[in-house]
Amino acid sequence: MKENLFNKTREELENYFISIGEKKFKALQVYEWLYEKREFNIDNFSNIKKEIREQLKKDFSTDIINIEKKQEDNLTKKYLFKLLDGEFIEAVVMEHDYGTSICVSSEVGCNMACKFCESGRQKKIRNLEAYEIVEQILAIEQDLQKRLSSVVIMGIGEPLDNYENIIKFIKIINDPKGIAIGARHITLSTCGLVPKIYELSKLPLQINLAISLHASNNALRDKLMPVNKVYNIDNLLQAIKDYLQATSRRVTIEYVMLDNVNDSKANALELANLFKGMNIYVNLIPYNETNHLEFKRSSKNKILAFYDTLKKSNINCTIRREFGSNIDAACGQLRGKQKDS
Ligand code: SAH
């Protein structure tokens, strides 16, 4: 099968042109067609001579993943995509006062099996290739006729379980001649694959890192997130400290509020104690209830009390503004429905 042209970093494309005996600046020209002019038909790359265009067409396709379904409310749009092999993935677009953000999927399914997560019910089928993540952005920008300003890798899948493709994806969208999304507008969220966090800290990327913690002690986290049995909170804390030191970037700690599970005052104090003095902030996430799973969302008052306790313990903290709970925008919900129907 031909490779997809959106799978190539600019450097890889330069090497390709060198390998066919051409000048490497052709890569820049191709990037300008694809990402600046959004021209996906190779025949129309008019500043590239016909002979090279024919070679490009032989070696690459520029097929884009298909939008299968779109659901929307005022501030949120959820897209279901059908991939070329018939698998489904989803992406969510959110309007903020500072711009439009997209939450992309990183894998078809997920193997992390977090108990409260819809995607965790369905095993991972395969990794997404870098182009399939890039194209979530391209297809949506085409549909909305506007550019997206920030990207969070928080859709279906565990990005660090698809490490190489994710790094490639980040390079392509971060390239000033690519989609040109600044590193500080890119957030990667992980359930805590510790060795990969160490690897990530060695890369010269200025992206934001978010850690899905969701529990204040190992006994509780073991129950909610099987990954904790492999990399527990102590291992994770060490990796976060290393990351903070290596990058000097503030890390986000995500904490989904589950009624009577992890939302007590004792949990808040324990959480504050874990991160005392560290350059992190905690993002409290109101749980998006799903039909299949028994967890309930903590009440507003409990979330506020938890927030207060963290603040009083000198932990920076925010409560995530809610998006899309009425359009199944929680991780994996739309894809789950497509599979059940
Ligand atoms: N695997 C990565 C990224 C995908 S999940 C990770 O674990 O971070 C993105 C975030 O959504 C995670 O924090 C996850 O725990 C959370 N999440 C999953 N299901 C949810 C739900 N129903 N309501 C609210 N947050 C949910």
Side-chain angles (χ1 to χ4, degrees), residues 289-301:
E289 293 176 11
T290 100
N291 285 337
H292 305 99
L293 305 168
E294 73 277 20
F295 296 93
K296 294 273 169 270
R297 165 188 304 193
S298 307
S299 68
K300 213 170 182 170
N301 281 344

PDB file of all heavy atoms in Angstrom, residues 289-301:
ATOM      1  N   GLU A 289     -21.134  10.941  33.050  1.00  0.00           N
ATOM      2  CA  GLU A 289     -21.689   9.595  33.297  1.00  0.00           C
ATOM      3  C   GLU A 289     -21.962   8.871  31.982  1.00  0.00           C
ATOM      4  O   GLU A 289     -22.350   9.490  31.005  1.00  0.00           O
ATOM      5  CB  GLU A 289     -22.976   9.725  34.116  1.00  0.00           C
ATOM      6  CG  GLU A 289     -22.684  10.227  35.519  1.00  0.00           C
ATOM      7  CD  GLU A 289     -23.943  10.473  36.335  1.00  0.00           C
ATOM      8  OE1 GLU A 289     -25.042  10.073  35.903  1.00  0.00           O
ATOM      9  OE2 GLU A 289     -23.812  11.079  37.418  1.00  0.00           O
ATOM     10  N   THR A 290     -21.732   7.585  31.970  1.00  0.00           N
ATOM     11  CA  THR A 290     -22.023   6.805  30.763  1.00  0.00           C
ATOM     12  C   THR A 290     -23.066   5.733  31.116  1.00  0.00           C
ATOM     13  O   THR A 290     -23.246   5.395  32.286  1.00  0.00           O
ATOM     14  CB  THR A 290     -20.756   6.132  30.161  1.00  0.00           C
ATOM     15  OG1 THR A 290     -20.744   4.767  30.556  1.00  0.00           O
ATOM     16  CG2 THR A 290     -19.476   6.824  30.600  1.00  0.00           C
ATOM     17  N   ASN A 291     -23.739   5.214  30.101  1.00  0.00           N
ATOM     18  CA  ASN A 291     -24.811   4.238  30.345  1.00  0.00           C
ATOM     19  C   ASN A 291     -24.301   2.920  30.894  1.00  0.00           C
ATOM     20  O   ASN A 291     -24.994   2.223  31.613  1.00  0.00           O
ATOM     21  CB  ASN A 291     -25.546   3.934  29.041  1.00  0.00           C
ATOM     22  CG  ASN A 291     -26.443   5.084  28.659  1.00  0.00           C
ATOM     23  OD1 ASN A 291     -26.836   5.865  29.536  1.00  0.00           O
ATOM     24  ND2 ASN A 291     -26.738   5.223  27.380  1.00  0.00           N
ATOM     25  N   HIS A 292     -23.074   2.565  30.551  1.00  0.00           N
ATOM     26  CA  HIS A 292     -22.605   1.218  30.845  1.00  0.00           C
ATOM     27  C   HIS A 292     -21.937   1.083  32.196  1.00  0.00           C
ATOM     28  O   HIS A 292     -21.816  -0.010  32.708  1.00  0.00           O
ATOM     29  CB  HIS A 292     -21.583   0.792  29.799  1.00  0.00           C
ATOM     30  CG  HIS A 292     -22.110   0.892  28.411  1.00  0.00           C
ATOM     31  ND1 HIS A 292     -21.844   1.949  27.590  1.00  0.00           N
ATOM     32  CD2 HIS A 292     -22.919   0.060  27.715  1.00  0.00           C
ATOM     33  CE1 HIS A 292     -22.452   1.771  26.435  1.00  0.00           C
ATOM     34  NE2 HIS A 292     -23.109   0.647  26.480  1.00  0.00           N
ATOM     35  N   LEU A 293     -21.470   2.195  32.741  1.00  0.00           N
ATOM     36  CA  LEU A 293     -20.595   2.092  33.902  1.00  0.00           C
ATOM     37  C   LEU A 293     -21.296   2.634  35.137  1.00  0.00           C
ATOM     38  O   LEU A 293     -22.118   3.536  35.048  1.00  0.00           O
ATOM     39  CB  LEU A 293     -19.289   2.837  33.614  1.00  0.00           C
ATOM     40  CG  LEU A 293     -18.596   2.353  32.321  1.00  0.00           C
ATOM     41  CD1 LEU A 293     -17.477   3.295  31.915  1.00  0.00           C
ATOM     42  CD2 LEU A 293     -18.072   0.941  32.488  1.00  0.00           C
ATOM     43  N   GLU A 294     -20.942   2.071  36.300  1.00  0.00           N
ATOM     44  CA  GLU A 294     -21.732   2.341  37.505  1.00  0.00           C
ATOM     45  C   GLU A 294     -21.371   3.655  38.195  1.00  0.00           C
ATOM     46  O   GLU A 294     -22.036   4.066  39.120  1.00  0.00           O
ATOM     47  CB  GLU A 294     -21.587   1.170  38.481  1.00  0.00           C
ATOM     48  CG  GLU A 294     -20.234   1.053  39.200  1.00  0.00           C
ATOM     49  CD  GLU A 294     -19.149   0.338  38.393  1.00  0.00           C
ATOM     50  OE1 GLU A 294     -19.279   0.260  37.148  1.00  0.00           O
ATOM     51  OE2 GLU A 294     -18.167  -0.107  39.009  1.00  0.00           O
ATOM     52  N   PHE A 295     -20.328   4.351  37.743  1.00  0.00           N
ATOM     53  CA  PHE A 295     -19.869   5.532  38.470  1.00  0.00           C
ATOM     54  C   PHE A 295     -20.810   6.719  38.288  1.00  0.00           C
ATOM     55  O   PHE A 295     -21.443   6.871  37.249  1.00  0.00           O
ATOM     56  CB  PHE A 295     -18.469   5.919  38.004  1.00  0.00           C
ATOM     57  CG  PHE A 295     -17.448   4.880  38.317  1.00  0.00           C
ATOM     58  CD1 PHE A 295     -17.131   3.898  37.388  1.00  0.00           C
ATOM     59  CD2 PHE A 295     -16.822   4.853  39.559  1.00  0.00           C
ATOM     60  CE1 PHE A 295     -16.196   2.919  37.679  1.00  0.00           C
ATOM     61  CE2 PHE A 295     -15.885   3.878  39.858  1.00  0.00           C
ATOM     62  CZ  PHE A 295     -15.571   2.898  38.916  1.00  0.00           C
ATOM     63  N   LYS A 296     -20.882   7.540  39.351  1.00  0.00           N
ATOM     64  CA  LYS A 296     -21.714   8.744  39.295  1.00  0.00           C
ATOM     65  C   LYS A 296     -20.827   9.972  39.484  1.00  0.00           C
ATOM     66  O   LYS A 296     -19.770   9.894  40.109  1.00  0.00           O
ATOM     67  CB  LYS A 296     -22.755   8.723  40.432  1.00  0.00           C
ATOM     68  CG  LYS A 296     -23.781   7.601  40.282  1.00  0.00           C
ATOM     69  CD  LYS A 296     -24.944   8.046  39.412  1.00  0.00           C
ATOM     70  CE  LYS A 296     -25.873   6.908  39.008  1.00  0.00           C
ATOM     71  NZ  LYS A 296     -25.521   6.223  37.763  1.00  0.00           N
ATOM     72  N   ARG A 297     -21.315  11.074  38.966  1.00  0.00           N
ATOM     73  CA  ARG A 297     -20.572  12.325  39.118  1.00  0.00           C
ATOM     74  C   ARG A 297     -20.737  12.891  40.529  1.00  0.00           C
ATOM     75  O   ARG A 297     -21.827  12.852  41.094  1.00  0.00           O
ATOM     76  CB  ARG A 297     -21.135  13.334  38.117  1.00  0.00           C
ATOM     77  CG  ARG A 297     -20.716  14.752  38.396  1.00  0.00           C
ATOM     78  CD  ARG A 297     -21.442  15.704  37.521  1.00  0.00           C
ATOM     79  NE  ARG A 297     -21.221  15.334  36.121  1.00  0.00           N
ATOM     80  CZ  ARG A 297     -21.514  16.118  35.098  1.00  0.00           C
ATOM     81  NH1 ARG A 297     -22.039  17.306  35.312  1.00  0.00           N
ATOM     82  NH2 ARG A 297     -21.309  15.725  33.872  1.00  0.00           N
ATOM     83  N   SER A 298     -19.678  13.413  41.087  1.00  0.00           N
ATOM     84  CA  SER A 298     -19.765  14.071  42.393  1.00  0.00           C
ATOM     85  C   SER A 298     -20.664  15.297  42.270  1.00  0.00           C
ATOM     86  O   SER A 298     -20.696  15.938  41.211  1.00  0.00           O
ATOM     87  CB  SER A 298     -18.386  14.544  42.852  1.00  0.00           C
ATOM     88  OG  SER A 298     -17.456  13.497  42.806  1.00  0.00           O
ATOM     89  N   SER A 299     -21.346  15.632  43.354  1.00  0.00           N
ATOM     90  CA  SER A 299     -22.217  16.810  43.319  1.00  0.00           C
ATOM     91  C   SER A 299     -21.363  18.070  43.194  1.00  0.00           C
ATOM     92  O   SER A 299     -20.165  18.070  43.520  1.00  0.00           O
ATOM     93  CB  SER A 299     -23.033  16.889  44.603  1.00  0.00           C
ATOM     94  OG  SER A 299     -22.157  17.168  45.683  1.00  0.00           O
ATOM     95  N   LYS A 300     -22.008  19.124  42.741  1.00  0.00           N
ATOM     96  CA  LYS A 300     -21.312  20.403  42.580  1.00  0.00           C
ATOM     97  C   LYS A 300     -20.685  20.846  43.910  1.00  0.00           C
ATOM     98  O   LYS A 300     -19.538  21.297  43.952  1.00  0.00           O
ATOM     99  CB  LYS A 300     -22.329  21.447  42.125  1.00  0.00           C
ATOM    100  CG  LYS A 300     -21.741  22.481  41.228  1.00  0.00           C
ATOM    101  CD  LYS A 300     -22.834  23.329  40.637  1.00  0.00           C
ATOM    102  CE  LYS A 300     -22.232  24.340  39.691  1.00  0.00           C
ATOM    103  NZ  LYS A 300     -23.222  25.038  38.908  1.00  0.00           N
ATOM    104  N   ASN A 301     -21.446  20.681  44.982  1.00  0.00           N
ATOM    105  CA  ASN A 301     -20.940  21.099  46.293  1.00  0.00           C
ATOM    106  C   ASN A 301     -19.701  20.333  46.712  1.00  0.00           C
ATOM    107  O   ASN A 301     -18.770  20.889  47.278  1.00  0.00           O
ATOM    108  CB  ASN A 301     -22.024  20.920  47.370  1.00  0.00           C
ATOM    109  CG  ASN A 301     -23.023  22.061  47.305  1.00  0.00           C
ATOM    110  OD1 ASN A 301     -22.733  23.095  46.682  1.00  0.00           O
ATOM    111  ND2 ASN A 301     -24.190  21.865  47.906  1.00  0.00           N
TER     112      ASN A 301
END
